[in-house]
Amino acid sequence: MSGTTLVLLLALAGGIFATGFFGLLARRAILFQLISLEMMLAGPALAFLAGGAFHGSQQGQAMFILVIILAAAEVALGLALYLALRRGADVEDSDTIAGLKH
């Protein structure tokens, strides 16, 4: 892999991360925020793969697997919290969570 390919892949990874960050800040719906968090995790995962391929080591792939495991745990926890909020208080967006008092 050449240096220009690495730079292009890292720029793509940064763009994916920035798009996810913007989606996290712009959206109020919890499900869209979870999708944005997944995009934010996909950016560094691509960067780890690109860095590992550039240096010719397996460590980039190992970090990619760890990021995928982290993303799966985040989805499971996020969806469980969303379902609990949806059933208990009929909440769909994150702004109304702050106004809940029990």
Side-chain angles (χ1 to χ4, degrees):
M1 173 184 289
S2 66
T4 56
T5 306
L6 176 66
V7 169
L8 288 174
L9 285 174
L10 289 178
L12 178 64
I16 291 171
F17 181 83
T19 304
F21 186 70
F22 175 73
L24 184 69
L25 294 177
R27 297 289 186 158
R28 285 192 260 173
I30 296 172
L31 288 178
F32 286 117
Q33 288 178 343
L34 287 173
I35 292 169
S36 296
L37 282 172
E38 289 297 317
M39 286 183 67
M40 287 177 65
L41 285 173
L46 177 63
F48 283 131
L49 283 177
F54 181 73
H55 292 292
S57 69
Q58 301 289 325
Q59 292 175 349
Q61 293 175 358
M63 289 302 296
F64 174 76
I65 291 172
L66 289 175
V67 169
I68 294 298
I69 291 170
L70 177 69
E74 177 255 328
V75 165
L77 183 63
L79 286 176
L81 287 171
Y82 173 74
L83 289 175
L85 286 170
R86 180 82 172 134
R87 287 182 184 160
D90 197 30
V91 172
E92 286 190 13
D93 60 6
S94 58
D95 287 344
T96 58
I97 294 174
L100 292 178
K101 294 184 181 179
H102 294 285

